Amino acid sequence: MRPPVAPPGWSRWLVPPAALAVHLSIGQAYAWSVFKPAVEDALHVSGTQSALPFQLAIVMLGLSAAFGGTLVERNGPRWAMGVALGCFSSGFLISALGAGLEQFWLIVLGYGFVGGIGLGIGYISPVSTLIKWFPDRPGMATGIAIMGFGGGALIASPWSAQMLESFGSGNGGLELAFLVHGVVYAVFMSLGVLLIRVPGGAPSGARGTARPAPTGPQVSANQAIRTPQFWCLWIVLCMNVTAGIGILEKAAPMITDFFQDSSTPVSASAAAGFVALLSAANMAGRIGWSSTSDLVGRKNVYRLYLGAGALMYLLIALWGDTSKPLFVLCALVILSFYGGGFATVPAYLKDLFGTYQVGAIHGRLLTAWSTAGVLGPLIVNRIADTQESAGKHGASLYGLSLFIMIGLLVVGFVANELVRPVHARHHHVPAPRESSDDAATARDQQQSA
C-alpha cells in the first residue's frame, strides 16, 4: 500500500488531529476498570480474572508494536490506522458476543488479544509521520498524539459508566455497551484514517523549501536493537512506567488506605476524583513535558522524570500519610512524569537513531511497557496482600513497595546517564560531513530517507 502523500500547501496541523482520533479511541484501555464490576457480576468471575482482558491487552500492545513496527514503516500510517481500527473495534464486537453467550473467554480473546493488537499498531501508527511533519518540534508533535492515549479514559470512563447505567449491568446491558463501543470507535477512528498524510517535501510551516538528504545517524530497526543505547532506553522506559503504573493501577484503594486512620478519611467519591486527577496529570504531562524536552533536551528531561520521581516517592513513603495535599501533589507529579516518559521517548529515539525507521524502533521499545504493565501492579498488589496477611493496615501496606519504586527509578536514572551517541558502524545511511551551522539547519529540516 502506498501511503497518501500530502498535496502542495497541505497544512501539517491537520496531522495531529488525525493522530488524536486514533489515540483518543484506543486510550479507552485505561477505562477498563469501569467494566470490571459488571463483568464480575454478569459472568461470575473473580476480580483477578476480570483483570485478564486488560492485562492481555497491554501485553499484546507491546508485542504487536514490536513485531508490527516494520510493517507500519513499510506500509505507512493509513494502513496502520486501518488495521488498528479493524482490530480494536472487532475486539469490542467479539466481547459483545462473549457477554451475550456468557463466555468470558471470548471477552479475553476479543478485548485482550484482538483489541490489544489494535492498541499496539494504533499506538505507533502516527509516530514517525508526526516526526517527519514536525522536524523542528518532534517532542511537541508526538506529545500531542500520545496525550490522546492518556486522555482517552477521561472520555471513556463517564461514557461507559453512563451506558452501563442506561442499558443495565447484566449480560444484555454489557453486550449492548460493548457493541456500541465497537461501532462508535470505528466511526471516530475512520476520521484519522481518512485525514492522515505523509509529507511529500518540506512540511508547510517548517523551515526549508526542499526535501534535504538525511543528516546525522540513520539506523535501521534491526541494527538499533544491537546497540547499547536501545537497551539503556528500554530500561529507562520500563523503570519509569513501572513506577507510574504502580500508583495508577491501585490509586483509589491506596489513597483510602493511607488516610483510613486519620480524622478525615477519604470517601469513595473522593477517591474516584483522585483517580480522575491522576488521569488529567497523565495527559497534561504527555504534552507539557514532551514539549519541554524540545527546549532542554531529552536526556535532561528524563533526568527530571527519574530523579524527581524518586524524590516524590520518598516524600510519600516518609510523610504521605500525614498530609493529603502532599500525597496528592506527589502522586500528580509522578503521573505527569509517567505520561511525559511515553510522549518523549519517540523524540529521544529520533535523536539517537534518526528518522529512517523510528516507528519500528519505537515499536520494539514498547516491549518495555508490556513488562512494566505486569511488573508494577504485581509489586504493589503482592506486597500489599502480604503485609495485610501479616496484620498490617493503612499506609504500612505500601511502604516496602514505595522504596522498591525508588530503587527502580534510580536504576533508570543510571541507565539514562549511560546513553551516548550511536557509533557510526550502526548507521544505515552515512552522515555527510558538515559544519556546525549546517548541522543545526539540517536538524531543523530533517526528513525520513
Side-chain angles (χ1 to χ4, degrees):
M1 173 181 289
R2 290 176 58 85
V5 178
W10 183 271
S11 174
R12 63 177 180 166
W13 292 103
L14 293 173
V15 180
L20 274 173
V22 173
H23 273 243
L24 281 171
S25 298
I26 63 177
Q28 187 280 334
Y30 279 142
W32 170 253
S33 60
V34 174
F35 288 115
K36 278 172 61 71
V39 169
E40 292 166 15
D41 293 340
L43 300 175
H44 311 293
V45 296
S46 67
T48 301
Q49 290 174 316
S50 68
L52 286 175
F54 172 77
Q55 289 176 314
L56 181 57
I58 296 299
V59 170
M60 292 309 301
L61 185 158
L63 294 178
S64 61
F67 290 105
T70 303
L71 290 175
V72 172
E73 287 290 319
R74 182 184 305 149
N75 296 324
R78 176 170 287 180
W79 174 88
M81 289 181 176
V83 170
L85 184 159
C87 291
F88 189 66
S89 297
S90 296
F92 273 111
L93 300 181
I94 295 170
S95 298
L97 180 63
L101 298 177
E102 299 186 33
Q103 296 293 320
F104 178 64
W105 69 271
L106 280 174
I107 296 179
V108 176
L109 173 68
Y111 190 94
F113 185 80
V114 178
I117 294 173
L119 288 180
I121 300 298
Y123 191 87
I124 64 173
S125 62
V127 169
S128 64
T129 302
L130 284 165
I131 289 176
K132 293 167 189 174
W133 275 110
F134 293 87
D136 49 335
R137 286 181 280 181
M140 180 213 68
T142 54
I144 289 175
I146 295 175
M147 175 185 70
F149 191 87
L154 291 178
I155 299 172
S157 293
W159 181 49
S160 301
Q162 182 60 48
M163 204 173 296
L164 289 174
E165 184 178 336
S166 301
F167 298 154
S169 57
N171 287 322
L174 197 58
E175 177 185 14
L176 190 55
F178 282 144
L179 179 63
V180 172
H181 275 70
V183 173
V184 171
Y185 279 131
V187 173
F188 192 61
M189 292 174 74
S190 67
L191 298 177
V193 175
L194 295 174
L195 194 59
I196 194 69
R197 297 287 190 279
V198 297
S204 175
R207 283 179 285 177
T209 58
R211 186 187 182 104
T215 59
Q218 298 294 323
V219 184
S220 69
N222 288 336
Q223 195 65 30
I225 62 175
R226 296 182 173 92
T227 66
Q229 288 84 353
F230 177 88
W231 294 107
C232 283
L233 277 188
W234 194 97
I235 293 171
V236 167
L237 184 63
C238 186
M239 298 302 99
N240 191 60
V241 174
T242 299
I245 210 168
I247 281 187
L248 186 62
E249 190 271 341
K250 206 174 175 64
M254 181 180 287
I255 193 171
T256 301
D257 290 337
F258 257 76
F259 298 100
Q260 69 178 28
D261 296 328
S262 69
S263 57
T264 55
V266 177
S267 65
S269 60
F274 174 62
V275 174
L277 280 176
L278 292 182
S279 296
N282 180 8
M283 181 175 65
R286 291 173 187 246
I287 180 63
W289 292 123
S290 61
S291 297
T292 301
S293 77
D294 288 333
L295 302 175
V296 304
R298 309 328 152 185
K299 193 168 189 175
N300 285 332
V301 85
Y302 270 96
R303 285 169 173 153
L304 176 67
Y305 298 157
L306 300 160
L311 177 61
M312 295 299 106
Y313 264 115
L314 181 62
L315 292 175
I316 292 176
L318 296 180
W319 299 292
D321 59 341
T322 64
S323 170
K324 286 179 187 174
L326 176 67
F327 180 93
V328 172
L329 178 61
C330 291
L332 291 177
V333 172
I334 290 170
L335 262 294
S336 76
F337 292 160
Y338 168 81
F342 279 123
T344 309
V345 80
Y348 207 164
L349 292 171
K350 176 257 184 189
D351 294 345
L352 289 170
F353 302 109
T355 58
Y356 175 58
Q357 287 190 334
V358 67
I361 299 170
H362 184 221
R364 285 160 170 76
L365 193 75
L366 289 181
T367 54
W369 190 358
S370 295
T371 303
V374 174
L375 187 61
L378 181 64
I379 291 172
V380 176
N381 287 296
R382 180 64 62 86
I383 291 176
D385 290 344
T386 301
Q387 299 289 67
E388 188 173 14
S389 299
K392 296 184 178 181
H393 67 284
S396 59
L397 297 176
Y398 305 99
L400 178 58
S401 60
L402 293 174
F403 281 104
I404 290 175
M405 295 301 178
I406 293 171
L408 293 177
L409 287 171
V410 170
V411 171
F413 189 94
V414 172
N416 184 54
E417 292 302 305
L418 295 176
V419 173
R420 298 289 186 271
V422 177
H423 194 278
R425 69 174 179 271
H426 298 293
H427 294 183
H428 179 81
V429 180
R433 297 178 63 87
E434 56 190 0
S435 69
S436 59
D437 290 339
D438 290 339
T441 302
R443 279 195 298 272
D444 286 341
Q445 297 178 343
Q446 186 176 19
Q447 297 295 319
S448 174

